[in-house]
Amino acid sequence: MFALVDGNNFFASCEQVFNPSLRNRPFVVLSNNDGCIIARSAEAKKLGIPMGVPFYEWEKVLRVNGGEWRSGNYPLYGDFSARLVEVLRELLPAVEVYSIDESFADVSGLDLQQLQVLGQQVKEAARRWLELPVAIGIAPTKTLAKLANQRAKKHAAHNGVCVWESAEEALAEAGDLPINDLWGVGRRNAVRLNAEGIHTVADLAAASGPFVRQRLSIIGYRLWQELHGISCLPLSLVHDPRKHIISSRSFGRYVTELKELEEAVATYTERAVRKLNSQGLLAQTMSVMLRTNKYAKNQPQKHASTWIGLPVAMSDTATLISYAKQAIGQIYEEGYAYNKAGIALCELVSTSGYQQSLLVPSPDKPALNQAITAINQRYNGRTIYHAACGINPAWAMRSQTRSPNYTTKWSEIKKIQ
Amino acid sequence: MKNTVLIPLLSCSVRAGFPSPADDYVEQRLNLHDYLVRRPAATFYMRAGADHPEARINKGDLLVVDRSLHPVPGRPVVAVAGGDLAIRLMPRHSSQALQVWGVVAFIIHPTAV
C-alpha cells in the first residue's frame, strides 16, 4: 500500500505561514521575473485564475477583488519542503521524496481503520507544526495513490484523506475521470488513447492486457497494471546523483551587450559550482547557451549554444567562469535582444572516485574554494563572489515583491512586536 | 533529524603501548542546538521588535519559537493578531481567546550588542 502526501497550493501556503494577512483572500505566487502565476490560493482559483498564466493578464482581476501577490521565494519553499519531509519521516516508514511538495510512503500492513487514522495524524501534524494544508491519498499502487490524493483534494467528504483498499474501490469512485487525470498521461497521450476509444480511467482499466500491451507502449501497460492494483513502481529511497547541473535564468530586461552576458554566465557558473560542490562532484564538459525571446515575433531570433570539453574534470569556479566567458563570446552576435542565457555542467563524476590525470594538473584550488564557501556560509549568501559576475547587475531578475527568507537568513527572520 | 553527525575521535592515535585512560569516556561535545530545539521541523526563529517586560523579553532578543509545544498560561507565545504575528502572554482563562501560532520556548539575550 502506498500513501501520497502533497501540499495544497504549496508555494502559496508557504507564504501564508508567516503572513496571516495573505490568508483568506485571492493570493498568487509569481515565477522568476514576476512573469507567470505559479501558485494560487483557493480564493484565487475561485476567481477563475488558471495555472501558469501571465501575471499581467490577471493583475487587474486580483486588484479589484482584494487580491495579493508575491514573487517566488524558492529558498523559503525549499526549506518548508525539507521540514515537511522531516515530519513525514517521523510518522511514516520509508518515505520517497518525489517533488518539492509530494512524497510517497510505504504504508503496508495496516487495515482500513488504521490507514484512516494515520492519514489524519499526518494531516494534523503538517497543519499544527508547519501551518501547511496537505492531502493524502492511500491505495495499493502509486498511480492509484496519486488518483486518491486528487480525490482527497477535490471532495470535502474525504476530509483530506482518501483511502482505497483495492483497485475495485478506486475504479468505483474514480472510474469516470478523464484519462488525462491519470499520472503519466499528458495531453498528447490522452489524444492517442482517445483515438483508441479510451476516454476514461474505467475505459483503460476495462481494456484487455494484450490490447494495451500491443497498442500502447510498455509505459501504457505499466499504467494499466497499476490501475489493476499490480504495483510496478517500487519506492525508490536512494537519491540518484545528478547527471548534469543546469543554471539559467531569463533576464529582467533584454540584454544586447556581450559584457552583460559575460556577467550573467559568470553568475550562473558560480551558482552551478555551488551545487556541484555540495554533491561532491566534478564536471568534465560544460555547455553554454543564449536565446532571444521566442514570443517576440517581430524581433530577429537567435538561439545558440556550444559545448566545451574540459581538459580535466574540475570544479574550480574561476577556471569554469573563464571557459564560460570564452564560450559566450563565441556564440554572441551583435544586433540581437537576448532574454535568456544559461550554462550546464555535464558528465559529472564523483570527486572520490575520480582518477586525476597525470599530464594535466587539476586547476582546482580546494583551500581557496573552501575559504570562500566558509565565509559565505558564515555571513549569509554571497558575501564573497567573483567580480566577473558583475556588481548589482541591471540584467538581474526582477523580484519586486519577494517575501523575506524567514527561515534561511538571520538578517531576514520575522520581527514581531 | 540532523543532516550531519559528529562522531568523536579518540583522543590519541592507535599505536602499540598504553591507550589513553580517557578513551573509554569519550563523549559528544555539548551542542547548544540540541538544548534549544526539540523538533527542528517545527522550530522557527524570530526577533523581538519591542520590549515585553511581563514576558521578560527585551527588544532585539532572539526568540526560539516551537510550534510543537503546548502553550502554558502566563508564558509567552507568538499569536496571530491584527493580520500579523505578535508576542502575547498565553491567557490564564480560556474566555480570552487567542490564536496561537507557536510557543516561545527560549529567549536569547546577548549581554553585549
Side-chain angles (χ1 to χ4, degrees):
Chain A
M1 282 296 261
F2 292 92
L4 173 66
V5 182
D6 87 332
N8 300 346
N9 315 325
F10 188 65
F11 294 168
S13 299
C14 290
E15 294 281 351
Q16 291 170 329
V17 176
F18 284 92
N19 268 307
S21 69
L22 299 177
R23 304 176 193 174
N24 305 314
R25 68 197 292 185
F27 167 64
V28 299
V29 174
L30 308 178
S31 64
N32 289 332
N33 274 327
D34 299 346
C36 300
I37 290 173
I38 56 173
R40 308 150 296 162
S41 68
E43 296 80 3
K45 287 180 186 171
K46 277 204 198 95
L47 285 182
I49 302 177
M51 180 63 121
V53 293
F55 172 56
Y56 76 86
E57 278 177 17
W58 291 88
E59 189 176 342
K60 186 152 177 213
V61 169
L62 281 162
R63 279 190 203 277
V64 160
N65 286 281
E68 255 289 12
W69 52 90
R70 285 288 183 275
S71 308
N73 187 341
Y74 294 100
L76 187 69
Y77 313 149
D79 183 53
F80 269 110
S81 173
R83 287 170 186 263
L84 181 58
V85 171
E86 272 175 56
V87 170
L88 297 183
R89 290 218 156 104
E90 203 181 313
L91 300 170
L92 300 164
V95 173
E96 173 199 326
V97 180
Y98 178 68
S99 75
I100 195 168
D101 71 338
E102 296 162 285
S103 292
F104 286 102
D106 183 343
V107 291
S108 314
L110 298 171
D111 65 36
L112 177 65
Q113 167 91 323
Q114 290 169 318
L115 288 171
Q116 285 283 7
V117 166
L118 181 61
Q120 289 298 334
Q121 273 177 353
V122 170
K123 182 181 154 197
E124 179 57 17
R127 188 199 65 80
R128 180 99 205 298
W129 298 341
L130 297 175
E131 194 92 53
L132 292 177
V134 301
I136 299 157
I138 298 175
T141 64
K142 279 189 181 179
T143 305
L144 289 174
K146 259 243 172 187
L147 212 58
N149 182 289
Q150 273 170 267
R151 293 297 288 190
K153 281 212 219 301
K154 295 211 172 106
H155 289 259
H158 283 298
N159 197 21
V161 179
C162 174
V163 183
W164 291 327
E165 280 189 293
S166 64
E168 288 73 39
E169 222 187 302
L171 291 171
E173 189 177 338
D176 286 341
L177 289 177
I179 195 75
N180 36 346
D181 272 10
L182 263 188
W183 182 33
V185 179
R187 208 164 298 163
R188 213 174 295 165
N189 285 325
V191 167
R192 209 161 31 121
L193 285 164
N194 289 339
E196 303 278 358
I198 296 173
H199 299 274
T200 65
V201 171
D203 287 344
L204 180 56
S208 82
F211 170 84
V212 172
R213 188 76 214 248
Q214 193 202 13
R215 308 287 267 191
L216 310 168
S217 65
I218 181 73
I219 296 168
Y221 183 60
R222 236 179 258 155
L223 203 62
W224 180 89
Q225 286 186 296
E226 287 248 316
L227 278 186
H228 282 271
I230 304 161
S231 176
C232 308
L233 303 167
L235 217 60
S236 136
L237 299 172
V238 180
H239 180 65
D240 278 331
R242 305 238 239 138
K243 300 270 184 351
H244 47 243
I245 292 173
I246 295 174
S247 178
S248 86
R249 292 280 192 279
S250 295
F251 300 129
R253 58 157 178 74
Y254 289 130
V255 170
T256 53
E257 303 307 306
L258 177 59
K259 178 168 189 308
E260 288 184 310
L261 286 170
E262 287 179 340
E263 284 179 357
V265 294
T267 306
Y268 304 155
T269 303
E270 240 197 19
R271 201 177 289 151
V273 170
R274 249 178 279 144
K275 287 190 207 165
L276 198 64
N277 287 332
S278 73
Q279 293 181 47
L281 299 169
L282 304 169
Q284 297 182 98
T285 51
M286 179 177 198
S287 87
V288 170
M289 77 85 160
L290 49 66
R291 202 181 71 197
T292 51
N293 185 358
K294 59 184 175 193
Y295 298 112
K297 299 280 189 241
N298 54 333
Q299 285 181 8
Q301 293 295 316
K302 186 172 170 74
H303 184 146
S305 64
T306 184
W307 284 93
I308 309 139
L310 301 168
V312 65
M314 63 173 77
S315 66
D316 182 63
T317 313
T319 311
L320 288 166
I321 285 179
S322 80
Y323 278 121
K325 282 164 70 171
Q326 273 179 50
I328 204 86
Q330 279 170 21
I331 53 179
Y332 168 79
E333 233 188 282
E334 236 185 284
Y336 291 92
Y338 300 101
N339 85 323
K340 187 169 183 176
I343 68 114
L345 299 176
C346 314
E347 289 182 51
L348 307 180
V349 291
S350 156
T351 44
S352 49
Y354 183 70
Q355 278 265 43
Q356 289 294 342
S357 158
L358 293 174
L359 300 172
V360 186
S362 163
D364 289 346
K365 302 175 196 65
L368 172 62
N369 288 323
Q370 260 171 43
I372 292 177
T373 307
I375 290 172
N376 282 334
Q377 271 169 8
R378 172 102 193 274
Y379 293 104
N380 285 326
R382 279 176 95 232
T383 305
I384 291 190
Y385 55 94
H386 287 81
C389 300
I391 300 169
N392 277 331
W395 50 262
M397 259 173 23
R398 277 195 310 259
S399 281
Q400 306 280 32
T401 51
R402 188 180 58 75
S403 52
N405 287 331
Y406 296 113
T407 62
T408 53
K409 280 204 160 70
W410 284 115
S411 55
E412 295 184 19
I413 63 176
K414 179 103 180 165
K415 201 164 176 183
I416 51 175
Q417 303 299 320
Chain B
M1 270 195 243
K2 290 174 257 191
N3 288 329
T4 55
V5 178
L6 298 172
I7 303 172
L9 287 180
L10 291 182
S11 59
C12 61
S13 54
V14 178
R15 52 173 188 266
F18 287 100
S20 159
D23 284 344
D24 287 339
Y25 300 93
V26 169
E27 288 180 5
Q28 289 255 20
R29 185 179 297 179
L30 293 175
N31 184 336
L32 188 61
H33 188 268
D34 294 338
Y35 179 78
L36 295 174
V37 181
R38 215 178 67 152
R39 190 179 258 119
T43 303
F44 299 89
Y45 302 108
M46 295 190 183
R47 182 78 60 192
D51 289 332
H52 285 263
E54 70 288 359
R56 299 202 278 187
I57 291 173
N58 287 82
K59 180 174 174 180
D61 285 349
L62 180 68
L63 308 173
V64 179
V65 185
D66 190 332
R67 289 181 60 106
S68 68
L69 294 177
H70 289 287
V72 174
R75 299 287 177 88
V77 295
V78 174
V80 179
D84 203 351
L85 302 182
I87 298 167
R88 292 282 185 274
L89 278 187
M90 189 64 190
R92 296 193 183 273
H93 307 284
S94 56
S95 58
Q96 303 156 286
L98 194 68
Q99 196 184 343
V100 175
W101 190 96
V103 170
V104 178
F106 288 94
I107 303 159
I108 300 179
H109 179 85
T111 55
V113 170

